Amino acid sequence: MVDVMHYVVIRKHAIDHAYLVVYLFESDGGRYFSAARAPEDVEFDIGDILKHDVANIWVRSDGTKLKFEGNITCSTLEEAESRFTQLIAEIG
């Protein structure tokens, strides 16, 4: 049996002129990743939980399947926060 990781949205930042929202997620295994999505594609709130399904498929708590790639993978919150801020600056 394989354990499934759950990820909680811990930060979000809207970049209005780029029509993107950058999210920072924390796993129940203590890892972090970030992803940028268009608000009309999908929008999360802080505290929302996603479950990793397979590859780049994720499942919302209501069962909706989403496809996206995380672009920051970190093992400490400090590193994740730094890279999250850097991603916002690069997009913004």
Side-chain angles (χ1 to χ4, degrees):
M1 183 171 162
V2 176
D3 289 330
V4 175
M5 285 290 197
H6 294 85
Y7 293 79
V8 177
V9 177
I10 60 170
R11 300 248 336 253
K12 74 185 252 186
H13 180 85
I15 303 173
D16 294 331
H17 69 279
Y19 304 108
L20 292 172
V21 180
V22 180
Y23 298 96
L24 181 61
F25 299 86
E26 178 180 20
S27 79
D28 50 9
R31 303 275 299 169
Y32 303 87
F33 83 91
S34 183
R37 295 300 298 263
E40 64 272 5
D41 184 26
V42 65
E43 190 162 2
F44 303 111
D45 290 317
I46 292 176
D48 283 357
I49 298 173
L50 294 175
K51 178 179 78 171
H52 183 239
D53 192 21
V54 294
N56 59 354
I57 305 297
W58 301 82
V59 182
R60 292 184 84 137
S61 57
D62 66 2
T64 304
K65 288 195 175 191
L66 308 167
K67 182 178 180 179
F68 65 92
E69 301 273 344
N71 54 9
I72 297 175
T73 303
C74 303
S75 57
T76 68
L77 180 57
E78 293 78 19
E79 180 185 9
E81 291 277 351
S82 174
R83 295 177 98 188
F84 175 76
T85 302
Q86 181 182 1
L87 179 62
I88 292 167
E90 289 171 4
I91 295 172

Coordinates of all heavy atoms in Angstrom, one line a residue:
M1 N 0.8 -1.2 0.0 CA 0.0 0.0 0.0 C 0.9 1.2 0.0 O 1.9 1.3 0.7 CB -0.9 0.0 1.2 CG -1.9 1.1 1.3 SD -3.0 0.8 2.6 CE -3.6 2.4 2.9
V2 N 0.5 2.2 -0.8 CA 1.3 3.4 -1.0 C 0.6 4.6 -0.2 O -0.6 4.7 -0.4 CB 1.5 3.8 -2.4 CG1 2.2 5.1 -2.6 CG2 2.2 2.7 -3.2
D3 N 1.3 5.3 0.6 CA 0.7 6.5 1.2 C 0.6 7.6 0.2 O 1.4 7.8 -0.7 CB 1.6 7.0 2.4 CG 1.6 6.0 3.5 OD1 0.5 5.4 3.7 OD2 2.6 6.0 4.3
V4 N -0.5 8.3 0.3 CA -0.8 9.5 -0.6 C -0.5 10.7 0.1 O -0.9 10.9 1.3 CB -2.3 9.4 -1.1 CG1 -2.5 10.7 -1.9 CG2 -2.6 8.2 -1.9
M5 N 0.3 11.6 -0.5 CA 0.6 12.9 0.1 C -0.5 13.9 -0.1 O -1.2 13.9 -1.1 CB 1.9 13.5 -0.5 CG 3.1 12.8 -0.1 SD 3.5 13.2 1.6 CE 5.2 12.8 1.7
H6 N -0.8 14.7 1.0 CA -1.7 15.7 0.9 C -1.0 17.1 1.0 O 0.0 17.1 1.7 CB -2.7 15.6 2.1 CG -3.6 14.4 1.9 ND1 -3.2 13.2 2.4 CD2 -4.8 14.2 1.4 CE1 -4.1 12.3 2.1 NE2 -5.1 12.9 1.5
Y7 N -1.4 18.1 0.3 CA -0.8 19.4 0.3 C -1.8 20.4 0.6 O -2.9 20.4 0.1 CB -0.2 19.6 -1.1 CG 0.9 18.7 -1.5 CD1 0.7 17.4 -1.9 CD2 2.2 19.1 -1.4 CE1 1.7 16.6 -2.2 CE2 3.3 18.3 -1.7 CZ 3.0 17.0 -2.1 OH 4.1 16.2 -2.4
V8 N -1.3 21.4 1.5 CA -2.2 22.5 1.9 C -1.6 23.8 1.3 O -0.4 24.0 1.3 CB -2.2 22.6 3.5 CG1 -3.0 23.8 3.9 CG2 -2.7 21.3 4.1
V9 N -2.5 24.6 0.9 CA -2.1 25.9 0.4 C -1.8 26.8 1.6 O -2.6 27.0 2.5 CB -3.3 26.6 -0.4 CG1 -2.9 28.0 -0.9 CG2 -3.7 25.8 -1.6
I10 N -0.5 27.2 1.7 CA -0.1 28.0 2.8 C 0.1 29.5 2.5 O 0.1 30.4 3.3 CB 1.1 27.5 3.5 CG1 2.3 27.4 2.6 CG2 0.8 26.1 4.2 CD1 3.6 27.0 3.4
R11 N 0.3 29.8 1.2 CA 0.5 31.2 0.7 C -0.1 31.3 -0.7 O -0.1 30.4 -1.5 CB 1.9 31.6 0.7 CG 2.7 31.5 1.9 CD 3.2 32.9 2.6 NE 3.3 34.0 1.7 CZ 4.5 34.5 1.4 NH1 5.6 34.0 1.7 NH2 4.5 35.6 0.7
K12 N -0.6 32.5 -1.0 CA -1.0 32.8 -2.4 C -0.7 34.2 -2.7 O -0.8 35.1 -1.8 CB -2.4 32.4 -2.7 CG -3.5 33.2 -2.1 CD -4.9 32.7 -2.3 CE -5.6 33.4 -3.3 NZ -7.0 33.0 -3.5
H13 N -0.4 34.5 -3.9 CA -0.1 35.9 -4.3 C -0.6 36.1 -5.7 O -0.2 35.4 -6.7 CB 1.4 36.2 -4.3 CG 1.8 37.5 -4.7 ND1 1.8 38.6 -3.8 CD2 2.1 38.1 -5.9 CE1 2.1 39.7 -4.4 NE2 2.3 39.4 -5.7
A14 N -1.5 37.0 -5.9 CA -2.1 37.4 -7.2 C -1.2 38.3 -8.0 O -0.7 39.3 -7.4 CB -3.5 38.0 -7.1
I15 N -0.9 38.0 -9.2 CA -0.2 38.9 -10.1 C -1.2 39.4 -11.2 O -1.4 38.7 -12.2 CB 1.0 38.2 -10.7 CG1 1.9 37.7 -9.6 CG2 1.8 39.2 -11.6 CD1 3.1 36.8 -10.1
D16 N -1.8 40.5 -10.9 CA -3.0 41.0 -11.7 C -2.6 41.2 -13.1 O -3.4 40.7 -14.0 CB -3.5 42.2 -11.1 CG -4.2 42.0 -9.7 OD1 -4.6 40.9 -9.5 OD2 -4.1 42.9 -8.9
H17 N -1.5 41.9 -13.5 CA -1.2 42.2 -14.9 C -0.9 40.9 -15.7 O -1.0 40.9 -16.9 CB -0.1 43.2 -15.0 CG 1.2 42.7 -14.5 ND1 1.6 42.7 -13.2 CD2 2.2 42.3 -15.3 CE1 2.8 42.2 -13.1 NE2 3.2 41.9 -14.4
A18 N -0.5 39.8 -15.0 CA -0.1 38.6 -15.7 C -1.3 37.6 -15.6 O -1.2 36.5 -16.2 CB 1.1 38.0 -15.1
Y19 N -2.4 38.0 -14.9 CA -3.5 37.1 -14.7 C -3.2 35.7 -14.2 O -3.6 34.7 -14.7 CB -4.3 37.0 -16.0 CG -4.8 38.3 -16.6 CD1 -4.2 38.8 -17.7 CD2 -5.7 39.1 -15.9 CE1 -4.5 40.1 -18.2 CE2 -6.1 40.3 -16.4 CZ -5.5 40.8 -17.6 OH -5.8 42.1 -18.0
L20 N -2.3 35.8 -13.2 CA -1.8 34.5 -12.6 C -1.9 34.7 -11.1 O -1.8 35.8 -10.5 CB -0.4 34.2 -13.0 CG -0.1 33.8 -14.4 CD1 1.4 33.7 -14.6 CD2 -0.8 32.5 -14.7
V21 N -2.0 33.5 -10.4 CA -1.9 33.5 -8.9 C -0.8 32.4 -8.6 O -0.8 31.3 -9.2 CB -3.2 33.1 -8.3 CG1 -3.1 33.0 -6.8 CG2 -4.3 34.0 -8.6
V22 N 0.1 32.8 -7.8 CA 1.2 31.9 -7.4 C 0.8 31.3 -6.0 O 0.5 32.1 -5.1 CB 2.6 32.6 -7.3 CG1 3.7 31.7 -6.9 CG2 2.9 33.3 -8.7
Y23 N 0.9 30.0 -5.9 CA 0.6 29.3 -4.7 C 1.8 28.6 -4.1 O 2.6 28.1 -4.8 CB -0.5 28.2 -5.0 CG -1.8 28.8 -5.5 CD1 -2.0 28.8 -6.8 CD2 -2.7 29.3 -4.6 CE1 -3.2 29.4 -7.3 CE2 -3.9 29.8 -5.1 CZ -4.2 29.9 -6.4 OH -5.3 30.4 -6.9
L24 N 1.9 28.6 -2.8 CA 2.9 27.8 -2.1 C 2.1 26.7 -1.3 O 1.2 27.0 -0.5 CB 3.7 28.7 -1.2 CG 4.8 28.0 -0.4 CD1 5.8 27.4 -1.3 CD2 5.5 29.0 0.6
F25 N 2.5 25.5 -1.5 CA 1.9 24.3 -0.9 C 2.9 23.6 0.1 O 4.1 23.6 -0.2 CB 1.5 23.3 -1.9 CG 0.5 23.7 -2.9 CD1 0.9 24.4 -4.1 CD2 -0.8 23.5 -2.8 CE1 0.0 24.8 -5.1 CE2 -1.7 23.9 -3.7 CZ -1.3 24.6 -4.9
E26 N 2.3 23.1 1.2 CA 3.1 22.3 2.1 C 2.5 20.9 2.2 O 1.3 20.8 2.4 CB 3.1 23.0 3.5 CG 3.9 22.2 4.6 CD 3.9 22.8 5.9 OE1 3.0 23.7 6.2 OE2 4.8 22.5 6.7
S27 N 3.4 19.9 2.1 CA 2.9 18.5 2.2 C 2.8 18.0 3.6 O 3.5 18.6 4.5 CB 3.7 17.6 1.4 OG 4.9 17.2 2.1
D28 N 2.0 17.0 3.9 CA 2.0 16.4 5.2 C 3.3 15.7 5.5 O 3.5 15.2 6.6 CB 0.8 15.5 5.4 CG 0.6 14.5 4.3 OD1 1.4 14.3 3.4 OD2 -0.5 13.9 4.3
G29 N 4.2 15.6 4.5 CA 5.5 15.0 4.7 C 6.6 16.0 4.9 O 7.8 15.7 4.9
G30 N 6.3 17.3 5.0 CA 7.2 18.3 5.3 C 8.0 18.8 4.0 O 9.1 19.4 4.2
R31 N 7.4 18.7 2.8 CA 8.0 19.2 1.6 C 7.1 20.4 1.1 O 6.0 20.5 1.5 CB 8.1 18.1 0.5 CG 8.8 16.9 0.9 CD 10.3 17.0 0.7 NE 10.6 17.2 -0.6 CZ 11.8 17.5 -1.1 NH1 12.8 17.7 -0.2 NH2 12.1 17.7 -2.3
Y32 N 7.7 21.2 0.2 CA 7.0 22.4 -0.3 C 7.1 22.4 -1.8 O 8.1 22.0 -2.3 CB 7.6 23.6 0.3 CG 7.6 23.6 1.8 CD1 8.6 23.1 2.6 CD2 6.5 24.2 2.5 CE1 8.6 23.0 3.9 CE2 6.5 24.2 3.9 CZ 7.5 23.6 4.6 OH 7.5 23.6 6.0
F33 N 6.1 23.0 -2.4 CA 6.2 23.3 -3.8 C 5.3 24.5 -4.2 O 4.4 24.8 -3.4 CB 6.0 22.1 -4.7 CG 4.5 21.8 -5.0 CD1 3.9 22.4 -6.1 CD2 3.8 21.0 -4.2 CE1 2.6 22.1 -6.4 CE2 2.4 20.7 -4.4 CZ 1.8 21.3 -5.5
S34 N 5.6 25.1 -5.3 CA 4.8 26.2 -5.7 C 4.4 26.0 -7.2 O 5.0 25.3 -7.9 CB 5.7 27.5 -5.7 OG 4.9 28.6 -6.0
A35 N 3.3 26.6 -7.5 CA 2.7 26.5 -8.9 C 2.0 27.8 -9.2 O 1.4 28.4 -8.3 CB 1.8 25.4 -9.1
A36 N 2.0 28.3 -10.4 CA 1.3 29.5 -10.8 C 0.2 29.0 -11.7 O 0.4 28.2 -12.6 CB 2.2 30.4 -11.6
R37 N -1.0 29.5 -11.5 CA -2.2 29.2 -12.3 C -3.0 30.4 -12.6 O -3.1 31.4 -11.9 CB -3.1 28.2 -11.5 CG -2.5 26.9 -11.2 CD -2.1 26.1 -12.5 NE -3.2 25.8 -13.3 CZ -3.8 24.6 -13.3 NH1 -3.5 23.6 -12.5 NH2 -4.8 24.4 -14.1
A38 N -3.7 30.4 -13.7 CA -4.6 31.4 -14.1 C -5.9 31.3 -13.3 O -6.4 30.2 -13.1 CB -5.0 31.3 -15.6
P39 N -6.4 32.4 -12.7 CA -7.6 32.3 -11.8 C -8.8 31.7 -12.5 O -9.6 31.0 -11.9 CB -7.8 33.7 -11.4 CG -6.7 34.5 -11.8 CD -5.9 33.7 -12.8
E40 N -8.9 31.9 -13.8 CA -10.1 31.3 -14.5 C -9.9 29.8 -14.7 O -10.9 29.0 -15.0 CB -10.4 32.0 -15.9 CG -9.3 31.8 -16.9 CD -8.2 32.9 -16.8 OE1 -8.2 33.7 -15.9 OE2 -7.3 32.9 -17.7
D41 N -8.7 29.3 -14.6 CA -8.4 27.8 -14.7 C -8.7 27.1 -13.4 O -9.5 26.1 -13.4 CB -6.9 27.7 -15.1 CG -6.5 26.2 -15.3 OD1 -7.4 25.4 -15.7 OD2 -5.3 25.9 -15.2
V42 N -8.2 27.6 -12.3 CA -8.4 27.0 -11.0 C -8.0 28.1 -10.0 O -7.1 28.8 -10.2 CB -7.7 25.7 -10.8 CG1 -6.2 25.9 -10.8 CG2 -8.2 25.0 -9.5
E43 N -8.8 28.2 -8.9 CA -8.4 29.1 -7.8 C -8.5 28.4 -6.5 O -9.5 27.7 -6.2 CB -9.2 30.3 -7.8 CG -8.7 31.4 -6.9 CD -9.2 32.8 -7.2 OE1 -10.1 33.0 -8.1 OE2 -8.8 33.7 -6.5
F44 N -7.5 28.5 -5.7 CA -7.4 27.9 -4.4 C -7.4 29.0 -3.3 O -7.0 30.2 -3.6 CB -6.1 27.1 -4.2 CG -5.9 26.1 -5.2 CD1 -4.9 26.2 -6.1 CD2 -6.7 24.9 -5.2 CE1 -4.6 25.2 -7.0 CE2 -6.5 23.9 -6.1 CZ -5.4 24.0 -7.0
D45 N -7.9 28.7 -2.1 CA -7.8 29.5 -1.0 C -6.8 29.0 0.0 O -6.5 27.8 0.0 CB -9.2 29.6 -0.3 CG -10.2 30.4 -1.1 OD1 -9.8 31.5 -1.7 OD2 -11.3 30.0 -1.2
I46 N -6.2 29.8 0.8 CA -5.3 29.3 1.9 C -6.1 28.3 2.7 O -7.2 28.6 3.1 CB -4.7 30.5 2.7 CG1 -3.8 31.3 1.8 CG2 -4.0 30.0 3.9 CD1 -3.3 32.6 2.4
G47 N -5.4 27.2 3.0 CA -6.1 26.1 3.7 C -6.7 25.0 2.9 O -7.0 23.9 3.4
D48 N -6.9 25.3 1.6 CA -7.4 24.2 0.7 C -6.4 23.1 0.7 O -5.2 23.3 0.7 CB -7.6 24.8 -0.7 CG -8.9 25.6 -0.9 OD1 -9.6 25.7 0.1 OD2 -9.1 26.1 -2.0
I49 N -6.9 21.9 0.5 CA -6.1 20.7 0.5 C -6.2 20.0 -0.8 O -7.3 19.8 -1.3 CB -6.5 19.7 1.7 CG1 -6.3 20.4 3.0 CG2 -5.7 18.4 1.6 CD1 -6.9 19.6 4.2
L50 N -5.0 19.6 -1.3 CA -5.0 18.8 -2.6 C -4.3 17.5 -2.2 O -3.5 17.4 -1.3 CB -4.1 19.5 -3.6 CG -4.5 20.8 -4.2 CD1 -3.4 21.3 -5.1 CD2 -5.8 20.5 -5.0
K51 N -4.7 16.4 -3.0 CA -4.1 15.1 -2.8 C -3.3 14.8 -4.1 O -3.8 15.0 -5.2 CB -5.2 14.1 -2.6 CG -4.6 12.7 -2.5 CD -5.7 11.7 -2.2 CE -6.5 11.4 -3.5 NZ -7.4 10.3 -3.4
H52 N -2.1 14.4 -4.0 CA -1.3 14.0 -5.2 C -1.8 12.6 -5.6 O -1.9 11.7 -4.9 CB 0.2 13.9 -4.9 CG 1.0 13.6 -6.1 ND1 1.8 12.5 -6.1 CD2 1.1 14.2 -7.3 CE1 2.3 12.4 -7.3 NE2 1.9 13.5 -8.0
D53 N -2.2 12.5 -6.9 CA -2.7 11.3 -7.5 C -1.6 10.5 -8.2 O -1.0 9.6 -7.6 CB -3.9 11.6 -8.4 CG -4.7 10.4 -8.8 OD1 -4.6 9.4 -8.1 OD2 -5.3 10.5 -9.9
V54 N -1.3 10.9 -9.4 CA -0.1 10.3 -10.1 C 0.5 11.4 -11.0 O -0.2 12.3 -11.4 CB -0.6 9.1 -11.0 CG1 -1.1 8.0 -10.2 CG2 -1.6 9.5 -12.0
A55 N 1.8 11.3 -11.2 CA 2.5 12.2 -12.1 C 2.1 13.6 -11.8 O 2.4 14.1 -10.7 CB 2.3 11.9 -13.6
N56 N 1.5 14.4 -12.7 CA 1.2 15.8 -12.5 C -0.4 15.9 -12.3 O -0.9 16.9 -12.7 CB 1.7 16.7 -13.6 CG 1.2 16.2 -15.0 OD1 0.5 15.2 -15.1 ND2 1.5 17.0 -16.0
I57 N -1.0 14.9 -11.8 CA -2.5 14.9 -11.6 C -2.7 15.0 -10.1 O -2.1 14.3 -9.3 CB -3.1 13.6 -12.1 CG1 -2.8 13.4 -13.6 CG2 -4.6 13.7 -11.8 CD1 -3.4 14.4 -14.5
W58 N -3.5 16.0 -9.7 CA -3.9 16.3 -8.4 C -5.4 16.2 -8.2 O -6.1 16.4 -9.1 CB -3.4 17.7 -8.0 CG -1.9 17.9 -8.2 CD1 -1.3 18.1 -9.4 CD2 -0.9 17.7 -7.2 NE1 0.1 18.1 -9.2 CE2 0.3 17.9 -7.9 CE3 -0.9 17.5 -5.9 CZ2 1.5 17.8 -7.2 CZ3 0.3 17.5 -5.2 CH2 1.5 17.6 -5.9
V59 N -5.8 16.0 -7.0 CA -7.3 15.9 -6.7 C -7.7 16.9 -5.6 O -7.1 16.9 -4.5 CB -7.7 14.4 -6.3 CG1 -9.2 14.3 -6.1 CG2 -7.2 13.4 -7.3
R60 N -8.7 17.7 -5.9 CA -9.2 18.6 -4.9 C -10.0 17.8 -3.9 O -10.4 16.7 -4.1 CB -10.1 19.7 -5.5 CG -9.3 20.6 -6.4 CD -10.3 21.7 -6.9 NE -10.4 22.7 -5.8 CZ -10.4 24.0 -6.1 NH1 -10.3 24.4 -7.3 NH2 -10.5 24.8 -5.1
S61 N -10.4 18.4 -2.8 CA -11.2 17.7 -1.7 C -12.6 17.4 -2.2 O -13.2 16.4 -1.7 CB -11.3 18.6 -0.5 OG -11.9 19.8 -0.8
D62 N -13.1 18.1 -3.3 CA -14.4 17.7 -3.9 C -14.3 16.6 -4.9 O -15.3 16.3 -5.6 CB -15.1 19.0 -4.4 CG -14.4 19.5 -5.6 OD1 -13.3 19.0 -6.1 OD2 -14.9 20.6 -6.1
G63 N -13.1 16.1 -5.2 CA -12.9 15.0 -6.2 C -12.5 15.5 -7.5 O -12.2 14.7 -8.4
T64 N -12.5 16.8 -7.8 CA -12.1 17.3 -9.1 C -10.6 17.0 -9.3 O -9.8 17.3 -8.5 CB -12.3 18.8 -9.1 OG1 -13.7 19.1 -8.8 CG2 -12.0 19.4 -10.5
K65 N -10.3 16.5 -10.5 CA -8.9 16.2 -10.9 C -8.4 17.4 -11.6 O -9.0 18.0 -12.5 CB -8.8 15.0 -11.7 CG -9.1 13.7 -10.9 CD -8.6 12.5 -11.6 CE -8.8 11.3 -10.7 NZ -8.1 10.1 -11.2
L66 N -7.1 17.8 -11.3 CA -6.4 18.9 -11.9 C -5.1 18.4 -12.4 O -4.5 17.5 -11.9 CB -6.2 20.0 -10.9 CG -7.4 20.5 -10.1 CD1 -6.9 21.3 -8.9 CD2 -8.3 21.3 -10.9
K67 N -4.6 19.1 -13.5 CA -3.3 18.7 -14.1 C -2.4 20.0 -14.0 O -2.7 21.0 -14.6 CB -3.5 18.3 -15.5 CG -2.2 17.8 -16.1 CD -2.4 17.4 -17.6 CE -1.1 16.9 -18.2 NZ -1.3 16.4 -19.6
F68 N -1.3 19.9 -13.2 CA -0.4 20.9 -13.2 C 0.9 20.5 -12.6 O 1.0 19.5 -11.9 CB -0.9 22.2 -12.5 CG -1.1 22.1 -11.0 CD1 -0.2 22.3 -10.1 CD2 -2.4 21.7 -10.6 CE1 -0.4 22.2 -8.7 CE2 -2.7 21.6 -9.2 CZ -1.7 21.9 -8.3
E69 N 2.0 21.2 -12.9 CA 3.3 20.9 -12.5 C 3.7 21.9 -11.4 O 3.5 23.0 -11.5 CB 4.3 21.1 -13.6 CG 4.1 20.3 -14.9 CD 4.7 18.9 -14.8 OE1 5.6 18.7 -13.9 OE2 4.3 18.0 -15.6
G70 N 4.3 21.3 -10.3 CA 4.9 22.2 -9.3 C 6.3 22.6 -9.8 O 7.0 21.8 -10.4
N71 N 6.7 23.8 -9.6 CA 7.9 24.3 -10.1 C 9.0 24.6 -9.1 O 10.0 25.1 -9.4 CB 7.7 25.4 -11.1 CG 7.0 26.6 -10.5 OD1 6.7 26.6 -9.3 ND2 6.6 27.5 -11.3
I72 N 8.7 24.4 -7.8 CA 9.6 24.6 -6.8 C 9.4 23.5 -5.8 O 8.3 23.2 -5.4 CB 9.4 25.9 -6.0 CG1 9.5 27.2 -6.8 CG2 10.3 26.0 -4.8 CD1 9.2 28.5 -6.1
T73 N 10.5 22.8 -5.6 CA 10.4 21.7 -4.6 C 11.5 21.9 -3.5 O 12.7 22.0 -3.9 CB 10.6 20.3 -5.2 OG1 9.7 20.1 -6.2 CG2 10.5 19.2 -4.2
C74 N 11.1 22.1 -2.3 CA 12.0 22.4 -1.2 C 11.8 21.6 0.0 O 10.6 21.1 0.2 CB 11.9 23.9 -0.8 SG 12.1 25.1 -2.2
S75 N 12.8 21.4 0.8 CA 12.6 20.6 2.0 C 12.5 21.5 3.3 O 12.3 21.0 4.4 CB 13.7 19.6 2.2 OG 15.0 20.2 2.2
T76 N 12.7 22.8 3.2 CA 12.6 23.7 4.3 C 11.7 24.9 4.0 O 11.6 25.3 2.8 CB 13.9 24.3 4.8 OG1 14.4 25.2 3.8 CG2 15.0 23.2 5.1
L77 N 11.0 25.3 4.9 CA 10.1 26.5 4.7 C 10.8 27.7 4.3 O 10.4 28.5 3.5 CB 9.2 26.8 6.0 CG 8.2 27.9 5.9 CD1 7.3 27.7 4.7 CD2 7.5 28.1 7.2
E78 N 12.0 27.9 4.9 CA 12.8 29.1 4.6 C 13.2 29.1 3.1 O 13.1 30.1 2.4 CB 14.1 29.2 5.5 CG 13.8 29.4 6.9 CD 13.3 28.2 7.7 OE1 13.5 27.0 7.2 OE2 12.7 28.3 8.7
E79 N 13.7 28.0 2.6 CA 14.0 27.9 1.2 C 12.8 28.1 0.3 O 12.8 28.8 -0.7 CB 14.7 26.5 0.9 CG 15.1 26.4 -0.5 CD 15.6 25.0 -0.8 OE1 15.5 24.1 0.0 OE2 16.1 24.8 -2.0
A80 N 11.7 27.5 0.7 CA 10.4 27.6 -0.1 C 10.0 29.0 -0.1 O 9.6 29.5 -1.2 CB 9.4 26.7 0.5
E81 N 10.0 29.7 1.0 CA 9.6 31.1 1.0 C 10.4 32.0 0.1 O 9.9 32.8 -0.6 CB 9.6 31.7 2.5 CG 8.6 31.1 3.4 CD 7.3 31.8 3.3 OE1 7.2 32.8 2.6 OE2 6.3 31.3 3.9
S82 N 11.7 31.8 0.2 CA 12.7 32.5 -0.7 C 12.4 32.3 -2.2 O 12.4 33.2 -3.0 CB 14.1 32.1 -0.3 OG 15.0 32.7 -1.2
R83 N 12.2 31.0 -2.5 CA 12.0 30.7 -3.9 C 10.6 31.2 -4.4 O 10.4 31.5 -5.5 CB 12.2 29.2 -4.2 CG 13.7 28.9 -3.9 CD 13.9 27.4 -4.1 NE 14.5 27.2 -5.4 CZ 14.7 26.0 -5.9 NH1 14.4 24.9 -5.2 NH2 15.2 25.8 -7.1
F84 N 9.6 31.1 -3.5 CA 8.3 31.6 -3.8 C 8.3 33.1 -4.1 O 7.8 33.6 -5.1 CB 7.4 31.3 -2.6 CG 6.0 31.9 -2.7 CD1 5.0 31.2 -3.5 CD2 5.6 33.0 -1.9 CE1 3.7 31.7 -3.5 CE2 4.3 33.4 -2.0 CZ 3.4 32.8 -2.8
T85 N 9.1 33.9 -3.3 CA 9.2 35.3 -3.5 C 10.0 35.6 -4.8 O 9.6 36.5 -5.6 CB 10.0 35.9 -2.3 OG1 9.2 35.7 -1.1 CG2 10.2 37.4 -2.5
Q86 N 11.0 34.8 -5.1 CA 11.7 34.9 -6.4 C 10.8 34.6 -7.6 O 10.9 35.4 -8.6 CB 12.9 34.0 -6.4 CG 13.8 34.0 -7.6 CD 14.9 33.1 -7.6 OE1 15.1 32.3 -6.7 NE2 15.7 33.1 -8.6
L87 N 10.0 33.6 -7.5 CA 9.0 33.3 -8.6 C 8.1 34.5 -8.8 O 7.8 34.9 -10.0 CB 8.3 32.0 -8.3 CG 7.3 31.6 -9.3 CD1 7.9 31.3 -10.7 CD2 6.5 30.4 -8.8
I88 N 7.6 35.1 -7.8 CA 6.7 36.2 -7.9 C 7.4 37.4 -8.6 O 6.8 38.0 -9.5 CB 6.1 36.7 -6.5 CG1 5.2 35.6 -6.0 CG2 5.5 38.0 -6.6 CD1 4.9 35.8 -4.5
A89 N 8.6 37.6 -8.2 CA 9.4 38.7 -8.8 C 9.7 38.4 -10.3 O 9.6 39.3 -11.1 CB 10.7 38.9 -8.1
E90 N 10.0 37.2 -10.7 CA 10.2 36.8 -12.1 C 9.0 37.0 -12.9 O 9.1 37.5 -14.1 CB 10.7 35.4 -12.2 CG 12.1 35.2 -11.6 CD 12.6 33.8 -11.5 OE1 11.8 32.9 -11.9 OE2 13.7 33.5 -11.0
I91 N 7.8 36.6 -12.4 CA 6.6 36.7 -13.2 C 6.1 38.2 -13.2 O 5.6 38.7 -14.2 CB 5.5 35.8 -12.6 CG1 5.9 34.4 -12.8 CG2 4.1 36.1 -13.3 CD1 4.9 33.4 -12.1
G92 N 6.2 38.8 -12.0 CA 5.7 40.2 -11.9 C 6.6 41.2 -12.5 O 6.3 42.3 -12.9

